[in-house]
Amino acid sequence: MFDEGQLYSPVTTGEDGTVEVHLADNHPGLHDPAYRARRSHIAAAAINAPAGTVPVIDYTEDEHRIWRLCQEQLAPKHEKYAHSEFLAAKHRLRLPTDHVPQLDHVSARLRPLTGWGYRAAPGLVPLREFYADLGARTFNSTQYLRHGSEPLYTPEPDIIHEVIGHGNQLASPRFARLTEAAGRASLRLETEDAMKFVADVFWFSMEFGVVKEHGEVKAYGAGILSSFGEMDEFGHMEHRGLDLADMGTLAYDITEYQPVLFCAESLDELDDVVGVFFDTVDDDLALRLRADAAAR
């Protein structure tokens, strides 16, 4: 699940209004016409939804089965590998385990906890739009599920990643604040280079962040905690300290397990380093940090 990349399938709209999702050559659902049609139908619902509304998806029993299986398989791994902050947020959010929730239902649970809500997206959202929405406590989420032939794997972020990973994370006031700060940072940035720097720090923190707790390295990143395979692997990867210049410039392959992770000594250090960075970064600071990395 979310094991080998974060590759959104392109979505196009024809002159006649027909919406089509174009799956990659290695996608498990490529040769399944029913799945391809389902993906296009769900994408069209997001595209055609009236402004300010989230479409209701009538999920199939097969889609509910995939959700149940993933919840069942992820739960013991969360107890073993997730930081207690994530676990406490997960218990507060109380996502259903027996059916795929509607995004509006997840929002209704999140808002009393941290003020966050969801917006439906057909696929990839432009970087600045995605981060600007984070600054307004709105998370753009897909609504489709991975192909049933490989229920514990997805080559792209589906609703399981967006909700079980990010939704549980956003139920924590601490993690919600960090995510919002990253979004607000984007509004101060003029250059795309600085925007990319912030997005890469976000990748190595809110997506693939780890932190020490009682002498053990625990995960808090949504990319790790929504991945059945990544949770078994992150403890064996190279763990570096929180170095912003390194985090914002390190090359990474989104189609592989992350071989280098940045480990905070505590959640307080995460706030002091990553949180303060998101709160204060501007184009000049991003440029200086990038230059610092290049000079090493």
Side-chain angles (χ1 to χ4, degrees), residues 21-275:
V21 175
H22 304 269
L23 303 182
D25 290 343
N26 63 347
H27 195 287
L30 178 65
H31 301 294
D32 183 342
Y35 180 77
R36 292 174 61 184
R38 179 63 170 165
R39 286 289 302 274
S40 296
H41 173 77
I42 292 175
I47 290 172
N48 296 323
T53 68
V54 175
V56 173
I57 305 299
D58 185 14
Y59 288 107
T60 66
E61 178 51 37
D62 186 58
E63 289 165 336
H64 289 308
R65 178 189 62 79
I66 293 169
W67 177 273
R68 285 195 297 270
L69 176 63
C70 289
Q71 284 276 46
E72 176 185 293
Q73 294 295 317
L74 287 175
K77 289 182 180 285
H78 284 171
E79 294 297 325
K80 181 177 181 180
Y81 295 119
H83 190 278
S84 61
E85 178 78 12
F86 180 92
L87 291 175
K90 176 182 176 179
H91 295 324
R92 286 193 296 270
L93 186 58
R94 296 180 295 106
L95 290 173
T97 59
D98 61 340
H99 67 274
V100 187
Q102 300 295 329
L103 289 183
D104 268 348
H105 294 170
V106 181
S107 296
R109 291 178 181 268
L110 268 177
R111 286 195 182 100
L113 299 175
T114 59
W116 277 77
Y118 275 90
R119 174 177 295 155
L124 181 65
V125 176
L127 192 65
R128 282 193 176 273
E129 180 181 334
F130 179 82
Y131 275 86
D133 283 344
L134 293 185
R137 298 184 187 177
T138 299
F139 196 94
N140 284 275
S141 172
T142 54
Q143 293 178 284
Y144 57 81
L145 286 96
R146 73 276 316 271
H147 193 260
S149 65
E150 298 188 53
L152 296 180
Y153 163 80
T154 179
E156 54 191 337
D158 64 351
I159 194 171
I160 290 171
H161 167 71
E162 312 280 41
V163 171
I164 296 179
H166 284 287
N168 283 322
Q169 187 186 63
L170 290 170
S172 155
R174 185 189 293 259
F175 294 144
R177 195 204 75 78
L178 286 168
T179 304
E180 181 183 0
R184 289 185 178 274
S186 73
L187 303 178
R188 298 191 299 273
L189 304 177
E190 296 182 4
T191 68
E192 296 311 305
D193 187 70
M195 186 67 249
K196 175 67 163 56
F197 194 97
V198 167
D200 286 346
V201 173
F202 187 91
W203 173 266
F204 282 116
S205 54
M206 307 317 295
E207 287 285 3
F208 285 92
V210 294
V211 58
K212 290 182 182 177
E213 183 175 32
H214 305 309
E216 294 184 72
V217 176
K218 298 288 188 176
Y220 68 89
I224 297 175
L225 294 171
S226 61
S227 170
F228 183 85
E230 197 103 30
M231 276 192 277
D232 286 328
E233 298 297 327
F234 80 88
H236 308 295
M237 301 308 185
E238 178 186 350
H239 296 160
R240 300 180 185 177
L242 295 185
D243 182 322
L244 293 170
D246 202 7
M247 295 169 77
T249 58
L250 182 68
Y252 54 90
D253 185 348
I254 62 177
T255 67
E256 301 288 344
Y257 291 137
Q258 297 305 298
V260 176
L261 300 172
F262 292 89
C263 183
E265 291 295 320
S266 66
L267 290 182
D268 286 341
E269 188 196 27
L270 179 67
D271 286 335
D272 291 343
V273 177
V274 175

